[in-house]
């Protein structure tokens, strides 16, 4: 996904963030259900991505189709996507799939964050997804079974859950979606994509700190406390000693970078002089 579609997805993910602390698996299932309806109708996809129709018209279509049938949050998320611009009819479905999976991932994150770092729930989810893929990829008969076109979606979901009996409810939702609605992809490829989304979410809980020389235990404790207070969560710190920075410190949490190194300041000065 690139261009205008990528911009629309980015905006939708930013808007979704406000709902994620209170997310539920039911919301994710509703979004996956809306995706199934959109995927089943080429006419609906064209209507939702028609550049000649206004965003309000397309949002209204989603509200008309799904209002009262799913939660207000699900309608709000889907209508927001419909009101955005998309380069192709496929892209809006891909975006809806990403948002639904992001809700599932947030549920795993929130569940463990109550008593510990949210990274533990994300790691457990990722491990469950990888375990499923390992079982499927190691046996050709299993590969055929999870992608058998004659089998009903419910039968494939039931079979898939037997392959990872100890998996979390969040993992089962994502695995069930992959086997019942792979959307033209190999089941294991879609599950891997879900795992990649979980891995990316983990980065919110990791602070990569680069310094010119190792910090003392006291300095590290102060840095930990300061970062936890700043981000409102218990971060895991990965310390990296990099003499090339010359001095100062560089901190990255997810996509956010705070660069107070001498090297960064020299680069900024050089750009100003240029």
């Amino acid at each position: 996904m690139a261009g205008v579609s990528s911009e629309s997805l980015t905006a939708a993910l930013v808007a979704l963030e406000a709902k994620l602390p209170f997310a539920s698996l039911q919301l994710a299932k509703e979004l996956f259900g809306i995706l199934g309806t959109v995927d089943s109708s080429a006419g609906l996809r064209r209507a939702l991505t028609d550049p000649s129709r206004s965003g309000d018209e397309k949002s209204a279509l989603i509200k008309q189709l799904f209002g009262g049938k799913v939660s207000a949050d699900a309608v709000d998320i889907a209508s927001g996507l419909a009101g955005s611009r998309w380069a192709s009819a496929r892209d809006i479905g891909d975006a809806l799939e990403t948002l639904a999976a992001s809700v599932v991932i947030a549920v795993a994150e929130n569940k463990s964050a109550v008593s510990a770092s949210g990274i533990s729930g994300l790691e457990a989810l990722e491990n469950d997804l990888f375990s499923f893929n390992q079982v499927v990829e190691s046996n050709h008969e299993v590969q055929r079974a999870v992608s058998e076109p004659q089998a009903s979606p419910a039968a494939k979901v039931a079979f898939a859950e037997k392959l990872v009996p100890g998996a979390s409810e969040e993992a089962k939702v994502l695995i069930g979606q992959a086997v019942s609605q792979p959307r033209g992809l190999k089941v294991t490829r879609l599950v891997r994509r879900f795992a990649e989304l979980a891995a990316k979410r983990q980065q919110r809980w990791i602070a990569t700190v680069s310094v010119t020389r190792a910090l003392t235990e006291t300095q590290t404790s102060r840095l930990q406390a300061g970062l936890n207070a700043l981000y409102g969560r218990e971060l895991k710190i990965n310390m990296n000693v990099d003499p090339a920075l010359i001095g100062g410190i560089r901190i990255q949490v997810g996509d956010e970078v705070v660069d107070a190194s001498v090297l960064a300041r020299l680069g900024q000065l050089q750009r100003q002089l240029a």
Side-chain angles (χ1 to χ4, degrees):
M1 192 182 297
V4 66
S5 292
S6 178
E7 293 172 3
S8 294
L9 174 57
T10 298
L13 286 168
V14 170
L16 180 68
E17 198 65 39
K19 299 182 186 295
L20 294 184
F22 318 100
S24 67
L25 288 182
Q26 181 58 33
L27 174 59
K29 292 175 181 178
E30 289 173 349
L31 292 174
F32 279 134
I34 294 173
L35 172 61
T37 300
V38 172
D39 274 348
S40 67
S41 172
L44 177 57
R45 289 195 302 278
R46 285 194 297 269
L48 295 176
T49 55
D50 184 352
S52 68
R53 297 168 64 111
S54 71
D56 288 343
E57 284 182 296
K58 292 182 284 187
S59 293
L61 177 57
I62 287 291
K63 293 173 182 177
Q64 179 184 350
L65 288 173
F66 299 103
K69 299 176 182 176
V70 296
S71 67
D73 278 343
V75 172
D76 183 53
I77 292 167
S79 63
L81 284 180
S84 301
R85 298 171 58 208
W86 304 96
S88 73
R90 164 102 190 178
D91 286 351
I92 190 172
D94 289 347
L96 189 52
E97 181 181 71
T98 297
L99 295 186
S102 296
V103 171
V104 177
I105 291 165
V107 172
E109 177 184 41
N110 296 340
K111 188 167 64 175
S112 62
V114 172
S115 57
S117 171
I119 196 172
S120 60
L122 295 172
E123 288 176 338
L125 174 59
E126 192 177 358
N127 288 338
D128 285 342
L129 297 178
F130 279 136
S131 295
F132 172 80
N133 271 5
Q134 286 178 335
V135 172
V136 174
E137 291 172 341
S138 65
N139 189 305
H140 291 298
E141 291 185 4
V142 172
Q143 291 175 34
R144 285 194 293 271
V146 297
S147 57
E148 172 56 55
Q150 301 303 319
S152 70
K156 286 190 280 191
V157 169
F159 175 73
E161 289 185 353
K162 292 178 180 178
L163 300 177
V164 280
S168 67
E169 289 304 310
E170 295 78 32
K172 289 178 181 178
V173 169
L174 294 178
I175 290 169
Q177 176 66 19
V179 298
S180 63
Q181 199 174 343
R183 307 184 65 241
L185 297 178
K186 287 182 62 176
V187 169
T188 51
R189 176 67 191 93
L190 184 51
V191 170
R192 191 172 300 114
R193 179 172 176 272
F194 292 151
E196 289 167 357
L197 289 174
K200 184 176 180 180
R201 188 76 181 174
Q202 284 184 41
Q203 298 308 307
R204 297 175 66 254
W205 294 84
I206 300 173
T208 300
V209 178
S210 298
V211 291
T212 54
R213 58 183 180 181
L215 300 183
T216 66
E217 193 171 315
T218 300
Q219 289 172 324
T220 301
S221 296
R222 289 175 178 170
L223 177 63
Q224 177 82 65
L227 289 174
N228 290 349
L230 178 63
Y231 287 94
R233 52 184 180 269
E234 187 76 21
L235 297 180
K236 174 183 177 182
I237 292 182
N238 288 341
M239 196 69 69
N240 174 39
V241 177
D242 183 5
L245 293 176
I246 305 176
I249 189 170
R250 183 181 188 276
I251 302 171
Q252 179 167 358
V253 179
D255 295 329
E256 185 175 341
V257 177
V258 177
D259 197 336
S261 67
V262 172
L263 184 62
R265 292 198 292 272
L266 288 174
Q268 183 180 23
L269 177 60
Q270 185 179 37
R271 286 191 295 273
Q272 290 172 346
L273 292 173

